[in-house]
């Protein structure tokens, strides 16, 4: 089904609802959801009093979602501050200064992340915010195109 690019403009959250391969013969009662995101999903926050800090786990949005969904859902989170849809960062960016800039490119790590979290019923991609940084000289259409490529 072709994607409507206009629906992506200005959005940083994309739901991937196409069926994903399941390599298990056992029937699981809980639906499995993967959140693949950046610092917004990880829970980084800022305040004048605390500067940059991580929210308590029970207050990050994927955990709040899991609590609201209840026991019939399992929510896995793979979130990295500075992650982009398709752009490498400078080496040493983020909280671990030893990380290669290529590891912040969401397209690079997505196949492994999907594989290590199978079986999955739904993938929520919360990316695009970092791609809007002026250093990348992106526009909303370019970010939407990258998200469409990621979905495919």
């Amino acid at each position: 089904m072709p994607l409507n690019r206009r629906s992506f403009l200005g959005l940083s959250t994309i739901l991937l609802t196409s069926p994903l391969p399941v390599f298990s013969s056992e029937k699981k009662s809980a639906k499995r959801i993967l959140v693949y995101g950046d610092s917004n999903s990880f829970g980084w926050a800022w305040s004048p009093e605390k500067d940059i800090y991580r929210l308590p786990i029970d207050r990050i949005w994927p955990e709040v979602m899991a609590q609201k969904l209840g026991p019939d859902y399992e929510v896995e989170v793979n979130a990295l501050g500075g992650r982009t849809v398709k752009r490498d960062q400078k080496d040493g960016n983020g909280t671990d200064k030893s990380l290669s800039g290529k590891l912040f490119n969401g397209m690079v790590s997505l196949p492994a992340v999907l594989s290590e979290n199978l079986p999955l019923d739904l993938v929520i991609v919360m990316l695009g915010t970092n791609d809007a940084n002026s250093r990348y000289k992106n526009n909303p259409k370019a970010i939407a195109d990258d998200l469409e490529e990621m979905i495919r």
Side-chain angles (χ1 to χ4, degrees), residues 137-148:
K137 298 178 176 57
N138 275 336
N139 59 50
K141 182 182 180 321
I143 296 169
D145 289 345
D146 291 345
L147 285 165
E148 182 176 2

Side-chain angles (χ1 to χ4, degrees), residues 2-151:
L3 299 170
N4 181 345
R5 291 176 191 226
R6 290 181 58 184
S7 66
F8 289 128
L9 297 178
L11 296 178
S12 59
T13 303
I14 305 300
L15 297 177
L16 300 180
T17 57
S18 58
L20 295 170
V22 177
F23 300 107
S24 174
S25 60
E26 62 186 68
K27 177 126 170 99
K28 290 191 94 171
S29 59
K31 297 286 186 187
R32 290 186 35 82
I33 299 171
L34 170 67
V35 174
Y36 186 66
D38 57 19
S39 61
N40 294 312
S41 300
F42 182 79
W44 284 126
W46 178 87
S47 76
E49 301 82 31
K50 295 183 181 180
D51 198 31
I52 296 174
Y53 66 100
R54 188 173 189 193
L55 294 170
I57 296 299
D58 65 341
R59 294 203 37 229
I60 64 172
W61 76 262
E63 181 60 27
V64 171
M65 177 181 70
Q67 292 168 11
K68 299 271 186 201
L69 288 171
D72 292 337
Y73 294 86
E74 296 173 5
V75 178
E76 298 291 334
V77 180
N78 187 291
L80 175 64
R83 181 179 278 155
T84 64
V85 178
K86 191 181 169 181
R87 305 283 180 266
D88 296 350
Q89 292 276 20
K90 295 185 299 188
D91 284 352
N93 185 54
T95 56
D96 183 346
K97 300 299 182 194
S98 65
L99 287 179
S100 163
K102 289 179 176 51
L103 295 176
F104 292 91
N105 181 330
M107 293 286 253
V108 170
S109 57
L110 181 60
V113 171
L114 289 172
S115 294
E116 70 190 19
N117 286 285
L118 289 174
L120 293 166
D121 296 293
L122 178 70
V123 175
I124 299 174
V125 175
M126 175 48 202
L127 292 174
T129 306
N130 293 309
D131 298 79
N133 189 302
S134 61
R135 82 181 101 166
Y136 298 119
K137 298 178 176 57
N138 275 336
N139 59 50
K141 182 182 180 321
I143 296 169
D145 289 345
D146 291 345
L147 285 165
E148 182 176 2
E149 183 181 342
M150 179 176 272
I151 290 168

